Amino acid sequence: MNLSESVTAEASPRPPVRAAQYVRMSTEHQKYSTENQAEIIAQYAARRGFEIVKTYEDSGKSGLRLDGRLSLQQLIADVRGGQTDFKAILVYDVSRWGRFQDADESAYYEFICREAGIAVQYCAEQFENDGSLSATIIKSMKRAMAGEYSRELSVKVFTGQCRLIRLGFRQGGAAGFGLRRYLVDEHRQPKAVLNHGEQKSLQTDRVVLRPGPPEEIEVVRRLYRMFVVQRRTETEIATALNDEGILTDLGRPWTRGTVHQVLTNEKYIGNNVYNRASFKLKAKRVVNTPDMWVRGDGAFEAIVERDFFEAAQRIIQERSRRFTDEELLGRLSALLVEKGWLSGLVIDEVEDMPSSSTFRHRFGSLVRAYQLVGYAPSRDYRYIETNRTLRTLHPDVVAQVIADIGAAGGTVRRDPVTDLLHINDEFTASLVISRCHISPAGGLRWKVRFDSGLRPSITIVARMQEDNAAIHDYYLLPWLDVGTTPNLRLAPENGILLDAYRFDTLEAFFDLTRRVPLKVAA
């Protein structure tokens, strides 16, 4: 090689390194908009010799957990599956990668990328993510600070919400049958009625509850009279309302659960109650004890007399009071003498009898309770009782899904025969509750049966916990990927191809249904 060729070779620029960028925006200030992040990342890439060939974007997503962040999930899945054509991932800063409450979780996702030979670069940080001791210490500190920021913000937001509750302002949620949400200004002057799915636009505006149409108010009061005076059960009341063609505020038939909600919610006597349950920092939902509730009594105009409401609570409390083991077994023995045999259905049909779930939770199973009163069923009916419980649970879960879609601003049409949900007139969804059973080898298994006749765009699979008493998690399964298989068997772990669709909550699904108004060009 002569001198001229050597100089030319040295002057030839190296080809740019192919890179992907990940941008995320929650609901924070403008500096974290995806456009601003992309601009800073582009400047970093130009300086460092990167060529951005792919973008993963999560808009309006919290960084507390991986759930709901579909683009980051796809990025991790692509890296794990070797489906990448880039050697680096460019991120604005550590907090955009995530505000995980466990800093090790953030490090874990970065480690997956590094193990696959793909470096993660934080473009707006003052340190080089080069694996050095100083970078490791600073990065760990930044991760902890990102998580702490969310914790501090959560405390501040919660304190502000509690103050507004005590002042008599509503903090989210549907108004409920017989009530309406009203928008008021900072001086409590009424501005407008908020219809289902509508939200306030000004930060200074507030929302209060006011009585709804007279015909709905009369239905609520009649519901209380039927329960308190006539001593009719929630199921009987729901049947009577449905026979009259009366629908709930969501346009659905009444169920035992929806009647029970009306009978137990203090908003019908004008009280503003908050923090019954906690779901802070995307952690597991926790039902709080009454001493943790935040109250604003007499905040709204009552539509039910307090005496009727308190009488209804006494009936419910007496019905659900805690019996001793001896009292429960005594009642079960008396029922066995009367009926000659026992089952969950027989127990639940007796009005003043504790429910079959009470016996199941107290003694571990119905079969164990049967044994303690000397009853041995001729066959194991536990799966029948479980299936019956899940069939009863299904309409309540569907109703809650419809309500949450409405709260997110979406619209739903439900087929009354098939329960198929037509969402925003864009796609369909079907809900399947999957019973947990134990295999002969002792493992947990869930069986999912797809309805080939309905062909929903997405099948929501609610997997039950081991005791089938509550929902464990959810799978959002697209028909195009899994619908050709009539049955699917799930284990606790199913590999990335299936577990990429697993979520602890349905927040990701509600994000799909959220409508965003578009500006019309002039």
Side-chain angles (χ1 to χ4, degrees):
M1 180 184 296
N2 57 35
L3 180 61
S4 174
E5 291 174 336
S6 175
V7 171
T8 302
E10 291 178 1
S12 299
R14 290 183 300 175
V17 178
R18 296 172 65 84
Q21 64 176 343
Y22 174 73
V23 293
R24 177 184 67 82
M25 179 183 68
S26 55
T27 55
E28 299 173 13
H29 33 78
Q30 187 62 26
K31 80 169 186 177
Y32 281 135
S33 72
T34 53
E35 292 82 2
N36 286 352
Q37 293 174 56
E39 183 178 347
I40 298 298
I41 291 173
Q43 295 173 6
Y44 181 93
R47 293 195 308 269
R48 301 297 184 94
F50 291 104
E51 177 189 4
I52 299 174
V53 297
K54 190 166 185 177
T55 297
Y56 295 86
E57 178 179 342
D58 282 321
S59 295
K61 306 297 181 184
S62 166
L64 293 171
R65 291 169 55 177
L66 191 63
D67 289 354
R69 298 169 65 185
L70 301 183
S71 291
L72 183 56
Q73 291 180 23
Q74 187 62 54
L75 170 59
I76 299 300
D78 290 347
V79 170
R80 279 175 162 166
Q83 305 297 317
T84 58
D85 60 349
F86 48 82
K87 288 297 182 182
I89 300 169
L90 307 183
V91 190
Y92 179 83
D93 65 9
V94 171
S95 72
R96 295 305 89 194
W97 188 249
R99 297 189 185 277
F100 300 100
Q101 296 305 288
D102 186 344
D104 290 342
E105 184 176 359
S106 178
Y108 170 68
Y109 298 131
E110 183 178 329
F111 172 76
I112 290 175
C113 300
R114 191 167 64 247
E115 191 178 35
I118 300 175
V120 178
Q121 301 291 344
Y122 301 109
C123 305
E125 298 289 5
Q126 299 301 310
F127 66 89
E128 291 289 337
N129 193 19
D130 54 6
S132 64
L133 177 61
S134 60
T136 301
I137 293 174
I138 295 173
K139 187 167 55 176
S140 298
M141 208 163 62
K142 288 270 189 176
R143 287 170 177 155
M145 290 168 60
E148 185 61 26
Y149 171 85
S150 293
R151 282 189 285 272
E152 291 179 355
L153 182 62
S154 175
V155 171
K156 293 176 182 178
V157 170
F158 180 73
T159 301
Q161 289 174 327
C162 292
R163 175 179 171 272
L164 293 175
I165 286 293
R166 295 187 181 101
L167 290 175
F169 298 120
R170 183 80 170 165
Q171 294 298 296
F177 189 85
L179 297 169
R180 291 294 184 271
R181 296 183 303 146
Y182 269 77
L183 191 66
V184 298
D185 62 19
E186 63 269 30
H187 304 296
R188 295 182 182 265
Q189 295 301 311
K191 297 181 66 173
V193 178
L194 287 178
N195 295 319
H196 190 66
E198 293 181 345
Q199 299 178 0
K200 69 174 188 175
S201 57
L202 298 179
Q203 188 174 4
T204 55
D205 286 346
R206 302 293 178 219
V207 178
V208 298
L209 292 184
R210 291 190 176 179
E215 58 272 17
E216 289 190 18
I217 295 175
E218 177 53 32
V219 170
V220 172
R221 291 172 176 171
R222 185 158 62 92
L223 185 152
Y224 272 85
R225 290 195 296 270
M226 286 191 286
F227 186 75
V228 174
V229 179
Q230 301 176 15
R231 292 302 180 100
R232 301 175 71 173
T233 66
E234 290 99 324
T235 302
E236 291 172 342
I237 295 172
T239 301
L241 296 178
N242 291 333
D243 289 344
E244 296 176 22
I246 299 173
L247 299 177
T248 67
D249 55 312
L250 299 177
R252 287 182 52 88
W254 291 83
T255 65
R256 182 194 180 281
T258 53
V259 172
H260 189 77
Q261 289 174 0
V262 174
L263 289 171
T264 56
N265 201 310
E266 292 188 41
K267 64 187 176 184
Y268 289 101
I269 57 172
N271 292 345
N272 201 15
V273 183
Y274 182 65
N275 201 40
R276 289 175 180 265
S278 300
F279 190 54
K280 296 177 181 177
L281 297 173
K282 307 295 181 180
K284 186 177 180 180
R285 183 177 184 271
V286 176
V287 178
N288 295 323
T289 55
D291 62 293
M292 297 178 63
W293 296 357
V294 181
R295 309 183 62 86
D297 292 343
F300 314 125
E301 181 181 346
I303 65 173
V304 173
E305 294 180 14
R306 179 173 292 274
D307 290 344
F308 265 101
F309 182 84
E310 292 176 350
Q313 306 323 299
R314 287 194 295 270
I315 293 172
I316 293 172
Q317 291 168 7
E318 175 61 26
R319 187 179 61 189
S320 59
R321 73 180 180 88
R322 183 171 180 84
F323 295 92
T324 65
D325 290 356
E326 292 73 17
E327 289 175 326
L328 285 175
L329 295 176
R331 285 172 171 258
L332 194 62
S333 297
L335 183 62
L336 175 60
V337 171
E338 178 185 350
K339 300 290 186 179
W341 66 291
L342 294 173
S343 74
L345 182 61
V346 170
I347 295 171
D348 290 337
E349 282 183 342
V350 180
E351 284 295 335
D352 60 348
M353 187 79 174
S355 67
S356 57
S357 61
T358 301
F359 291 93
R360 187 179 298 109
H361 293 155
R362 184 70 63 85
F363 301 105
S365 69
L366 279 180
V367 172
R368 174 57 179 162
Y370 296 161
Q371 292 173 346
L372 292 174
V373 297
Y375 175 66
S378 56
R379 55 174 296 189
D380 189 353
Y381 288 100
R382 283 177 295 182
Y383 77 96
I384 298 177
E385 295 163 0
T386 300
N387 289 345
R388 175 179 176 272
T389 300
L390 298 187
R391 284 195 298 271
T392 303
L393 175 66
H394 186 273
D396 290 338
V397 176
V398 172
Q400 187 61 54
V401 168
I402 292 174
D404 288 336
I405 292 174
T411 60
V412 187
R413 287 188 297 106
R414 169 187 165 272
D415 188 310
V417 177
T418 63
D419 271 335
L420 186 67
L421 304 181
H422 298 261
I423 301 171
N424 299 324
D425 290 325
E426 295 175 351
F427 66 97
T428 58
S430 178
L431 180 95
V432 175
I433 297 181
S434 180
R435 176 172 62 91
C436 178
H437 70 275
I438 301 177
S439 70
L444 302 182
R445 296 293 182 268
W446 294 264
K447 184 176 181 181
V448 182
R449 181 177 291 107
F450 298 99
D451 195 323
S452 58
L454 294 180
R455 297 177 63 88
S457 307
I458 296 177
T459 298
I460 305 171
V461 178
R463 292 202 308 181
M464 301 300 292
Q465 294 178 354
E466 182 177 349
D467 59 359
N468 289 297
I471 294 175
H472 175 62
D473 57 13
Y474 301 88
Y475 277 73
L476 302 180
L477 301 176
W479 179 266
L480 292 177
D481 290 348
V482 297
T484 55
T485 304
N487 295 315
L488 181 67
R489 291 178 62 85
L490 297 175
E493 303 291 338
N494 303 282
I496 188 63
L497 292 180
L498 276 177
D499 284 348
Y501 299 119
R502 193 198 72 81
F503 302 91
D504 290 331
T505 70
L506 286 180
E507 180 182 349
F509 178 74
F510 300 137
D511 284 341
L512 292 176
T513 69
R514 181 172 286 112
R515 301 294 87 193
V516 178
L518 299 177
K519 294 182 178 179
V520 179

